[in-house]
Amino acid sequence: GDSVTQMEGPVTLSEEAFLTINCTYTATGYPSLFWYVQYPGEGLQLLLKATKADDKGSNKGFEATYRKETTSFHLEKGSVQVSDSAVYFCALSEGQAGTALIFGKGTTLSVSS
Amino acid sequence: NAGVTQTPKFRILKIGQSMTLQCAQDMNHNYMYWYRQDPGMGLKLIYYSVGAGITDKGEVPNGYNVSRSTTEDFPLRLELAAPSQTSVYFCASSYSQSRGGGYTFGSGTRLTVV
């Protein structure tokens, strides 16, 4: 079945460092891909999304490009801030009736000043 | 503010007790979902609903029941609580299951079974 694999965390960075969180997926069709972020004590929030190959999703300085050839959707940010400390989830949706979002296990990011 | 509201935020249950986790959304979304989040395991789908009166099992439905009598509400019922049900539960909704549909999540219910 469909699945999402994320890099193991935690990821610890200093402020202004470059961030990459790897995400690869397995799907039978052509899924939509998402990154969600969970701040401490809160629910998940949609960070960005891409619905077809070569699409780039972006929000709040974060970017991810849908790479069909490598089945990847890596999250990047050029300069992280302390306020970016959170858990990041990669997810996919086939968008078919009876399916739902499938999540990776999440990657914890900790940014220090 | 519009969104998904979950109650209670925290609850401690004894083994064998029952409870209902409430979830309500005011965005007129047809699709609603219940997930559980365990440390290091991501989110697992418990049940989902594609509209009032229609529900279906997800990946981990054992020990849970749901109902969907209205578009707005999607309660999750635990009949005989077990320690394995200690988790954080999230309710979510979406306007469609189309390829671009993102979910709106509630803030979660942290449940401990002792």
Side-chain angles (χ1 to χ4, degrees):
Chain A
D2 294 357
S3 65
V4 175
T5 302
Q6 292 180 235
M7 61 186 289
E8 294 283 333
V11 175
T12 303
L13 295 173
S14 298
E15 208 165 23
E16 300 183 3
F18 185 85
L19 169 71
T20 299
I21 299 178
N22 291 338
C23 171
T24 58
Y25 67 91
T26 302
T28 53
Y30 301 94
S32 294
L33 301 174
F34 305 84
W35 277 101
Y36 280 81
V37 58
Q38 183 180 30
Y39 298 103
E42 298 183 10
L44 280 71
Q45 304 173 24
L46 179 64
L47 180 60
L48 54 85
K49 66 180 182 182
T51 58
K52 60 183 187 298
D54 299 326
D55 268 2
K56 177 185 284 189
S58 62
N59 186 25
K60 299 181 181 179
F62 291 90
E63 293 183 341
T65 300
Y66 190 139
R67 302 287 189 198
K68 182 171 178 291
E69 64 276 13
T70 55
T71 62
S72 64
F73 193 54
H74 305 321
L75 183 68
E76 297 182 335
K77 187 175 185 182
S79 176
V80 294
Q81 305 299 312
V82 172
S83 57
D84 294 326
S85 299
V87 182
Y88 292 82
F89 292 91
C90 186
L92 71 81
S93 172
E94 293 269 23
Q96 298 168 349
T99 64
L101 274 177
I102 296 171
F103 287 90
K105 293 184 177 181
T107 303
T108 300
L109 170 66
S110 179
V111 181
S112 58
S113 59
Chain B
N1 290 338
V4 177
T5 302
Q6 288 185 240
T7 56
K9 292 190 181 302
F10 304 94
R11 183 72 185 268
I12 298 174
L13 278 183
K14 294 184 179 179
I15 294 171
Q17 287 185 321
S18 62
M19 76 164 293
T20 299
L21 282 65
Q22 301 292 344
C23 175
Q25 53 92 8
D26 58 2
M27 298 171 285
N28 203 32
H29 286 174
N30 282 327
Y31 299 86
M32 297 187 74
Y33 315 85
W34 275 105
Y35 285 88
R36 59 178 286 171
Q37 182 183 30
D38 300 309
M41 298 301 293
L43 281 78
K44 301 291 186 182
L45 182 67
I46 305 171
Y47 270 95
Y48 66 96
S49 169
V50 301
I54 306 170
T55 63
D56 208 347
K57 297 177 180 179
E59 185 179 357
V60 290
N62 291 344
Y64 307 94
N65 278 300
V66 293
S67 60
R68 185 94 183 270
S69 58
T70 67
T71 299
E72 294 77 18
D73 300 299
F74 190 41
L76 178 71
R77 179 83 176 163
L78 283 70
E79 290 293 349
L80 291 170
S84 61
Q85 293 177 305
T86 294
S87 188
V88 181
Y89 292 84
F90 287 102
C91 179
S93 71
S94 66
Y95 61 89
S96 77
Q97 283 185 306
S98 67
R99 290 171 50 78
Y103 289 14
T104 300
F105 281 83
S107 57
T109 295
R110 185 175 295 275
L111 176 67
T112 302
V113 181
V114 297

